[in-house]
Amino acid sequence: MLTTLRRIILEFSQNADLESALFRMVTQVKTALNTDCCSIYLADYATEHFVLMASDGLAKDALGNTRIGFSEGLVGLVGQREEPLNISDAHKHPQFIKTPIVQEDELNAFLGTPIIHQRKVLGILSIQQKESRHFTENEEAFVVTLSAQLAMALANAEVRYGLTEKNNQTTRQLKGVSGSSGVAIGPLFVIQPTVQLQSITLEKHTDKETELVRFKQAISDTRHEFERMAEELSRVISDNSLDIFEMYKQLLGNADIGHEVENKINDGWNTQSALKLVVDSYVVQFEALDDNYLRERASDIKDLGNRILANLLEKNSQVNEPLDAFILVAEDVTASMLAEYQHFGLQGIVSLTGSNNSHAAILARALGLPAIMGVDKIPLGQLHKQTAILDGYSGELYVAPNDSLLKEYKHLIEEEYALADKVKQVEKLPAITLDGKCIELQLNAGLSSGFEHSSSTGAIGIGLYRTEIPFMNQSCFPSEQQQTDLYRQVLAAFPKKSVTMRTLDVGGDKALPYFPIVEDNPFLGWRGIRITLDHPEIFLQQVRAMIKANYGHNNLEIMLPMISNISEVDEATRLINQAYYELSSELNIIDQSKFVKPKIGMMIEVPGVIFQLREFASKVDFFSVGSNDLTQYLLAVDRNNAQVSDLYDAYHPAVLRALNTIAQESSKYLVPLSLCGELASEPSGALLLLAMGYDKLSMNPHNISRIKWVVRHVELHKMKVILAHVLSLSSTKQVHSYMREQLEHLGLGGFVRAGM
Ligand code: PEP
Ligand code: MG
């Protein structure tokens, strides 16, 4: 039974055309169950009807022409009840309605099951038989299992075939994950690579010397291309997200891919074949890894291989006639594509593969472009030049949007522009409420746009400097000196303002290419402080670099991620002290006032910590809540899993109550408290946190003025009343709608945007 089920579903998903896929399926099910009829109806939500799409047993003329209302007949009943209906004589059922066109007079037994994906009824699968009998439990189990699997395949098919559009002439909605926030509207510009290693057939050469010369020339051309790209991008990006091009150049070098390809040419392969063999073997190795970040590197290597190939064959990739303003779409958007198109009218990017770890996403954030990654599979050809709305907040792409959606999003973009102008007025002013409560707004830096520009954002220091990226875009751990130089720049950008540097927080979904971690549950595994305490040499090198960089600046604070045990704080503090005292003597410090020991704080991300705040309070100088991880761990929802993304919400009453408890406890034990997760950058979130008593909020640079404006237009005592009500609510939905309502009342309705 299992093999039959698998075969049916596999064939369905491999079929290029929906109609024939459905038809093949009904025939196979009818044969497998030895019945007289199998049919599939698909839901048309615009008209609230089920449409008969495929049948083996009902009249051919009925296909596409039979529409059954959502509350009509047995098919409607299955949809309404959302459960199977197994009856021996359909004609006697009170809800049976005769539909002459289908010619089912002789079919008595009926078994219908709903096809449900993510709680939405996509259609109905039915089997019918002349003999009047109940279908057996096994038959019912087969159909129910098939429907559940079909639901997943159909959800993809909905995307692949544009099902919704075909039936209703409406907008097609594709779902991915947010790679970079923001909204863009424009025609889609699809890039298909002109040459791909994938299509090369292996051949031997006749002249080794010529092949080696060709290869060297292609390598040199490719290297120049990367230099040009990095140089062009460096005019608009100032942070280390550009290191990807350094990595590419390194891989081209003699020690890596370049050398291996030459060996293969020496073995007799022609250049294209040698390149394909080497790149494929790297890709296979990377793709086999469990680690998300490392798997993404397979795409970087493919990009590199295809670029060398294009140069070998002298076929430049298609940089042709981009439209004035466009959203770039590709199967795999690469960092180099962004480099090539960013100076045209690039408004946003959509990549069918990848995640928010992809280099394209990292660069998009640095460029301030909205991006969606890992969008459901869809034939790219269908998208070219179609108008689309890219919602980088929710990860949704609307292709051929209807007028009302377009109007809504255009309005949103206009509002965003207007709001950006409006809030700019308060950029240089303090974040102080109408009744005088002052709060510090700080910057989250390290992942996105350069901290060099940070003073112009109106932020008071850096609340979270993520140190992972400089470690990620490398082929080995950065040296102490490299780190010192980088950290010095960061500290210098905020003289006399605190800069909170987080020690290396890899693991989970972030990994280092040269330090693979393979484990079943990475978010519950070896991550953050757990890794660095197991590798004191890495930890010590990093904190030494931080402390050295702090010499003369004296604005460093060190923050420890993913703390779950008191002993971790003790051990980390011991190592930081060791680094500090070692450096004091090594550097021969004369003026001790220029070399102060940094404050040490910890992140509150693991729920267990909330019950031990008193003990932790006596060990650290400050607490900073990582609400992104705290939400994921409190609600047991993987923050990167699209399947459960609806459940991931920091406005869940449990999360808000936990945040409130943290604020009360911190105040009781006199520990300065900040929050550096995404919640701080949302108007509702920031206001609730302010009312709870958070002293500092840290957020990405784009939101500082916006939150400042909001804070400056409320009164703390009113926010406390709102908070008290929010804390009494029992569902996330209630919290959202109440907060929307309250923002409207406060005259801040413009700050409530879709997807927030
Ligand atoms: C957090 O978890 O809220 C946080 C700020 O850290 P990161 O998003 O880097 O895990
Ligand atoms: Mg975190």
Side-chain angles (χ1 to χ4, degrees), residues 563-621:
I563 293 290
S564 56
N565 278 289
I566 297 280
S567 60
E568 290 161 345
V569 174
D570 286 340
E571 184 59 9
T573 307
R574 186 185 69 74
L575 291 169
I576 294 170
N577 287 342
Q578 175 184 328
Y580 176 73
Y581 292 114
E582 275 171 12
L583 283 168
S584 297
S585 57
E586 271 173 43
L587 299 176
N588 207 2
I589 306 289
I590 299 160
D591 182 355
Q592 199 63 33
S593 69
K594 288 192 166 171
F595 193 66
V596 293
K597 199 160 85 165
K599 286 187 177 153
I600 302 174
M602 61 175 267
M603 292 192 75
I604 302 181
E605 302 182 283
V606 179
V609 161
I610 302 173
F611 302 97
Q612 275 194 293
L613 287 175
R614 186 173 53 80
E615 288 109 304
F616 281 111
S618 64
K619 304 268 178 188
V620 294
D621 298 309

Side-chain angles (χ1 to χ4, degrees), residues 5-49:
L5 271 171
R6 279 213 187 116
R7 187 172 35 82
I8 296 177
I9 290 294
L10 187 71
E11 274 197 35
F12 178 84
S13 51
Q14 283 174 343
N15 207 315
D17 163 63
L18 180 63
E19 264 164 42
S20 45
L22 290 173
F23 188 72
R24 177 91 186 110
M25 175 172 274
V26 289
T27 309
Q28 284 176 309
V29 175
K30 184 180 145 187
T31 313
L33 294 179
N34 200 14
T35 76
D36 298 317
C37 176
C38 175
S39 314
I40 293 176
Y41 299 80
L42 293 185
D44 175 350
Y45 276 87
T47 60
E48 305 207 336
H49 277 80

Side-chain angles (χ1 to χ4, degrees), residues 214-362:
R214 280 181 68 215
F215 179 60
K216 287 205 167 107
Q217 185 57 47
I219 290 285
S220 149
D221 293 347
T222 312
R223 182 175 283 119
H224 284 131
E225 255 172 39
F226 287 136
E227 274 159 8
R228 177 180 50 78
M229 288 176 191
E231 137 101 39
E232 277 170 9
L233 273 182
S234 66
R235 292 191 205 126
V236 266
I237 302 180
S238 48
D239 71 3
N240 33 36
S241 48
L242 287 181
D243 291 355
I244 173 72
F245 295 103
E246 276 313 308
M247 185 182 98
Y248 279 165
K249 280 195 277 170
Q250 250 174 38
L251 282 168
L252 289 173
N254 283 338
D256 290 297
I257 289 182
H259 185 57
E260 289 183 41
V261 175
E262 285 184 18
N263 282 346
K264 291 269 186 259
I265 296 175
N266 285 327
D267 288 346
W269 295 106
N270 75 7
T271 315
Q272 295 91 292
S273 307
L275 182 66
K276 178 182 168 64
L277 288 169
V278 173
V279 170
D280 281 357
S281 85
Y282 270 89
V283 169
V284 168
Q285 284 173 43
F286 276 96
E287 280 180 346
L289 296 172
D290 278 345
D291 180 289
N292 285 346
Y293 183 82
L294 285 183
R295 265 203 313 274
E296 296 294 341
R297 303 298 62 85
S299 132
D300 294 338
I301 306 255
K302 267 191 236 165
D303 179 36
L304 179 71
N306 287 333
R307 288 214 159 250
I308 304 174
L309 183 68
N311 282 319
L312 259 180
L313 305 177
E314 294 177 15
K315 284 195 184 163
N316 286 330
S317 53
Q318 170 206 18
V319 185
N320 57 14
E321 41 143 356
L323 313 144
D324 286 346
F326 63 96
I327 296 169
L328 187 153
V329 189
E331 171 78 27
D332 188 7
V333 176
T334 60
S336 53
M337 280 181 194
L338 269 179
E340 274 176 340
Y341 286 92
Q342 59 86 21
H343 48 273
F344 297 103
L346 183 58
Q347 305 291 308
I349 65 165
V350 176
S351 184
L352 301 203
T353 55
S355 69
N356 60 351
N357 279 321
S358 310
H359 269 113
I362 295 170

Side-chain angles (χ1 to χ4, degrees), residues 464 466 502 510 527 603 605 626-629 639 676-677:
L464 166 65
R466 292 179 165 103
R502 178 170 75 183
K510 287 177 264 167
R527 64 168 297 207
M603 292 192 75
E605 302 182 283
S627 57
N628 305 338
D629 275 318
R639 63 195 255 194
C676 57

